[in-house]
Amino acid sequence: MRKLENSELDRLNIEEFKQVEKTPICIVLDNVRSLNNIGSVFRTADAFLIEKIYLCGITATPPHKEIHKTALGATDSVGWEYRESTMALLEELRAEGYTSLSVEQAENAIMLNNFKIEENKKYALIFGNEVKGVSQDVVSGSDLVLEIPQYGTKHSLNISVSVGVVVWDLWAKLKG
C-alpha cells in the first residue's frame, strides 16, 4: 500500500467549500479556553462540512497564531461567529429550528451510541470548558444532553477529541 499525496486527495478549495451543501450541524463552544482546541475544532468542522462554529464567552476568535497552528487554514473555510452569551445564542438557534444538544455528563443524558438522528432536523452541538464543561445554565437550557460512553478510569475526554467523536457519529448516522 502506498500513502497518497495531498494532491491526490481531491479536496475542495475554499470557494468550493463555501458553495457546497453543508451538514445540518453547527458547533457551539461554550467558554473554551485552549487556543489549540479551538483550532482543532475548526479542522474537524472543515472535514465534515459543518455549517458554522459559534465561539461564545471567553472562547478566543481568529485570527490568532495559536488557533491557526492547529486549524491549518480551516478558519478561512468554516464560517464562524463570536457571541458573548451562549444562552442568548441557544434561543436564536432554537428559533431557527435547531435542536440543541449539550455534550456533557448529566442526569438523563442519552448515550451517543443510542442517539437517533431525525431526518430534516438541524442540530447545534454544544461543547464546554476544558475544566468545568458546558455551563449548568446551558445544559439546563438544552433540548437534550448527549454523553460519550467511556469505560476507563478518566472522567472526560479532551474537548477537541469529544468534538471529533460526536461529529463523526452524527455525520455517519446522517449519511447512513
Side-chain angles (χ1 to χ4, degrees), residues 107-155:
E107 295 173 336
N108 302 313
I110 299 168
M111 290 297 166
L112 180 60
N113 51 307
N114 295 327
F115 179 68
K116 305 283 189 241
I117 288 284
E118 293 182 45
E119 284 189 49
N120 302 316
K121 269 205 166 183
K122 300 185 292 185
Y123 294 97
L125 300 174
I126 306 149
F127 298 89
N129 179 276
E130 291 85 348
V131 175
K132 298 178 181 178
V134 179
S135 59
Q136 182 61 58
D137 61 334
V138 173
V139 169
S140 297
S142 296
D143 295 312
L144 297 168
V145 177
L146 294 180
E147 183 175 340
I148 301 169
Q150 298 174 62
Y151 304 100
T153 62
K154 297 299 155 199
H155 299 286

Side-chain angles (χ1 to χ4, degrees), residues 27-93:
I27 295 172
V28 177
L29 299 184
D30 180 38
N31 293 305
V32 172
R33 63 184 176 152
S34 166
L35 301 169
N36 291 324
N37 282 337
I38 297 165
S40 292
V41 170
F42 270 93
R43 281 201 29 215
T44 298
D46 178 276
F48 296 103
L49 299 172
I50 298 303
E51 288 180 348
K52 186 179 273 189
I53 298 174
Y54 291 94
L55 308 167
C56 301
I58 67 165
T59 308
T61 62
H64 194 288
K65 71 177 187 171
E66 292 299 313
I67 294 173
H68 181 73
K69 184 166 63 173
T70 50
L72 295 178
T75 55
D76 296 328
S77 57
V78 178
W80 63 271
E81 287 183 38
Y82 172 78
R83 298 299 177 87
E84 187 173 328
S85 168
T86 306
M87 287 301 295
L89 172 63
L90 287 187
E91 290 307 315
E92 285 180 45
L93 292 173

Side-chain angles (χ1 to χ4, degrees), residues 86-107:
T86 306
M87 287 301 295
L89 172 63
L90 287 187
E91 290 307 315
E92 285 180 45
L93 292 173
R94 187 169 286 118
E96 293 176 22
Y98 285 87
T99 298
S100 58
L101 307 171
S102 282
V103 178
E104 190 55 84
Q105 296 160 330
E107 295 173 336

Side-chain angles (χ1 to χ4, degrees), residues 147-167:
E147 183 175 340
I148 301 169
Q150 298 174 62
Y151 304 100
T153 62
K154 297 299 155 199
H155 299 286
S156 65
L157 296 168
N158 176 281
I159 183 214
S160 65
V161 172
S162 294
V163 170
V165 167
V166 174
V167 168

